[in-house]
Amino acid sequence: MSKMTKKKTGLVLEGGAMRGLFTAGVLDVFMERGLKFDGLIGVSAGACFGCNYKSGQIGRVIRYNKRFARDPRYCSWRSLLLTGDLFGAEFCYRELPERLDVFDTAAFESNPMEFHIVATDAGSGRPIYKKLDKCDNVALDWIRASASMPIVSRPVEIDGGKYLDGGLSDGIPLRYFESIGFERNIVITTRPRGYRKFPSGKIRILKPLLYRYPAIYEALKSRHVWYNKTLEYIDERVAQKRAILIAPEKPLEISRVCHDPEVMQRVYDYGRRTAELFPEHLLESFF
C-alpha cells in the first residue's frame, strides 16, 4: 500500500490597507507558535505584510508602521501630489526595506514556503498571479503592484505590462490556491464574519478619473458580485472542513489610511488576541 500523500497547507491573506494590521497580529502569533505552511498567497496589504512570514520577521510589520505612521514619505497627500503615489514607492519599497527596517532577503529566499501575490492587469482588469522566489527589486515591484490602489497610485510597470491592486480582481484567492494544489487553507480576512459588500453609487464619480483604464472601472463596478460569491465559497469550504477562516468578530476601527500609532497597535493587538483565542485543537487537526 502506498503512503498517503500529505495535503499541502496554505495561508490566504486578504488585503484592506491598514486593516491588514489585524492580519499581521495573527501572523506573528502563528510564527511564535512555529506554524509552517507549504505556501502563502497575499493580496495588497496581505502581500506587503505576508512576505514577513516567509522571512520570519516577527513584529516587523507593526514596528515600521508605527515608526513611520506620520512620516510624509511613507503615506501622505504630499506624497500623492509629488510622486503620484499615496504610499511613497521609493520610500516604502526601496529605502525602508533596504536601510531603515531591513527586510531579511536571505531568510525569505531560504524558506521553502512558496510565496504568491495577486495583482490586476490594468488593461484587462483580470487577476495576475505571481510566485516570487526571490525578493529582489522586481519582486518588490510585484508586491507594490498588488497594493497599488487606483486613483491614489500609479499603475506599476513591469516587463511592459501595467498592474494595480489585486483586490480589484481576486481579493481572497482561495479558489486559485486550491487550483494549484493547496488543498487545506487558513483564510485570514479583514472584514468581520458575515460581512457582505453592496454596490456603491459613488463608483460612478471615478469613471472620468479612470478613463485610461476602463477595465479597472468595470472591475470596480462588479467587485461586490464576485467578492460576495467568494465569501460564500469560503463558508462552504469551512463547513466541509477544507478551510479555516480567521476573521475579526466586529468591524476593525481603523481607516484604510491611518497615521495614529495607537490605533495601529490596537488593531494589531486584536489580531494577536484572535489568534491566541482560536481553538488550538482545530489548528492542530488542520496540520
Side-chain angles (χ1 to χ4, degrees), residues 5 7 15 40 56 77 84-85 102 107 119 132 145 151 153 172-173 182 201 215 228 251-252:
T5 304
K7 292 182 178 179
L40 180 156
W77 295 113
D85 294 299
V102 176
L132 304 177
I151 309 300
S153 307
I172 317 174
F182 294 90
N228 291 339
L252 297 174

Coordinates of all heavy atoms in Angstrom, one line a residue, residues 5 7 15 40 56 77 84-85 102 107 119 132 145 151 153 172-173 182 201 215 228 251-252:
T5 N -0.3 10.7 0.5 CA 0.4 12.0 0.2 C -0.1 13.1 1.1 O -1.3 13.3 1.3 CB 0.1 12.4 -1.3 OG1 0.5 11.4 -2.1 CG2 0.9 13.7 -1.6
K7 N -1.4 16.5 2.3 CA -2.1 17.6 1.7 C -1.3 18.9 2.0 O -0.9 19.2 3.1 CB -3.5 17.6 2.2 CG -4.3 16.4 1.7 CD -5.8 16.6 2.1 CE -6.6 15.4 1.6 NZ -8.0 15.4 2.0
G15 N -6.5 41.7 1.6 CA -5.9 43.0 1.8 C -6.7 43.9 2.7 O -7.4 43.4 3.7
L40 N 1.9 30.5 0.8 CA 1.1 31.7 1.2 C 0.8 32.5 0.0 O 1.7 32.7 -0.9 CB 2.0 32.5 2.2 CG 1.4 33.8 2.8 CD1 2.0 34.1 4.2 CD2 1.5 35.0 1.9
G56 N 10.3 35.3 8.3 CA 10.4 35.0 9.7 C 10.6 36.2 10.6 O 11.1 36.0 11.7
W77 N -0.8 62.9 1.5 CA -1.3 63.5 0.3 C -0.1 64.3 -0.4 O -0.2 64.4 -1.6 CB -2.4 64.5 0.7 CG -3.6 63.8 1.2 CD1 -4.1 63.9 2.5 CD2 -4.5 62.9 0.5 NE1 -5.2 63.1 2.6 CE2 -5.5 62.5 1.4 CE3 -4.5 62.4 -0.8 CZ2 -6.5 61.6 1.1 CZ3 -5.5 61.5 -1.2 CH2 -6.4 61.1 -0.3
G84 N 2.7 60.8 -7.3 CA 1.6 60.1 -7.9 C 1.2 58.9 -7.1 O 0.3 58.1 -7.5
D85 N 1.8 58.6 -5.9 CA 1.5 57.5 -5.1 C 1.3 58.0 -3.7 O 2.1 58.6 -3.1 CB 2.7 56.5 -5.1 CG 2.9 55.8 -6.4 OD1 1.9 55.2 -6.9 OD2 4.0 56.0 -7.0
V102 N 15.4 46.7 7.9 CA 15.9 45.8 6.8 C 15.1 44.6 6.7 O 14.9 43.9 7.7 CB 17.4 45.5 7.0 CG1 17.9 44.5 6.0 CG2 18.2 46.8 7.0
A107 N 16.7 35.1 4.5 CA 15.8 34.2 5.1 C 14.5 33.9 4.2 O 14.0 32.8 4.2 CB 15.3 34.8 6.5
A119 N -2.0 40.5 -8.5 CA -2.2 41.9 -9.0 C -3.3 41.9 -10.0 O -3.7 40.8 -10.4 CB -0.8 42.4 -9.5
L132 N 6.8 34.4 -6.2 CA 8.0 35.1 -6.0 C 9.0 34.3 -5.2 O 8.7 34.0 -4.0 CB 7.7 36.4 -5.3 CG 6.7 37.4 -6.0 CD1 6.5 38.6 -5.2 CD2 7.2 37.7 -7.4
A145 N 2.7 46.5 -6.8 CA 1.6 46.4 -7.8 C 0.3 45.8 -7.1 O -0.8 46.4 -7.2 CB 1.9 45.6 -9.0
I151 N -6.5 55.4 -8.6 CA -6.6 56.8 -8.3 C -5.5 57.4 -7.4 O -4.9 58.4 -7.7 CB -8.0 57.2 -7.6 CG1 -9.2 56.6 -8.4 CG2 -8.2 58.7 -7.4 CD1 -9.3 57.0 -9.8
S153 N -2.7 55.7 -6.7 CA -1.5 55.1 -7.1 C -1.3 55.1 -8.6 O -2.3 54.9 -9.3 CB -1.4 53.6 -6.6 OG -1.7 53.5 -5.2
I172 N -9.6 37.6 -2.4 CA -9.4 36.5 -1.4 C -9.2 35.2 -2.3 O -10.2 34.4 -2.5 CB -10.6 36.3 -0.4 CG1 -11.1 37.6 0.1 CG2 -10.1 35.4 0.7 CD1 -12.3 37.5 1.0
P173 N -8.0 34.9 -2.8 CA -7.8 34.0 -3.8 C -7.7 32.5 -3.4 O -6.8 31.8 -3.7 CB -6.5 34.4 -4.4 CG -5.7 35.0 -3.3 CD -6.8 35.7 -2.5
F182 N -3.0 23.6 -3.3 CA -3.0 23.8 -1.8 C -4.5 23.4 -1.3 O -5.4 24.2 -1.5 CB -2.7 25.2 -1.5 CG -1.3 25.6 -1.8 CD1 -0.9 26.0 -3.0 CD2 -0.3 25.4 -0.8 CE1 0.5 26.3 -3.3 CE2 1.1 25.6 -1.1 CZ 1.4 26.1 -2.4
G201 N -23.0 53.6 -5.4 CA -23.2 54.6 -6.4 C -22.1 55.6 -6.6 O -21.9 56.3 -7.6
A215 N -11.2 49.1 -18.1 CA -11.4 47.7 -17.5 C -11.3 47.8 -15.9 O -12.0 47.0 -15.3 CB -10.3 46.8 -18.0
N228 N -18.7 38.7 -2.9 CA -19.7 38.0 -2.1 C -19.7 36.5 -2.5 O -19.9 35.7 -1.6 CB -21.1 38.7 -2.3 CG -21.1 40.1 -1.7 OD1 -20.3 40.4 -0.8 ND2 -22.1 40.9 -2.1
P251 N -16.3 45.0 13.1 CA -15.6 45.8 12.1 C -14.3 46.4 12.8 O -14.4 46.8 14.0 CB -16.5 47.0 11.8 CG -17.9 46.4 12.0 CD -17.8 45.4 13.2
L252 N -13.2 46.4 12.1 CA -12.0 47.0 12.6 C -12.1 48.5 12.6 O -12.4 49.1 11.6 CB -10.8 46.5 11.8 CG -10.6 45.0 11.7 CD1 -9.5 44.6 10.7 CD2 -10.2 44.5 13.1

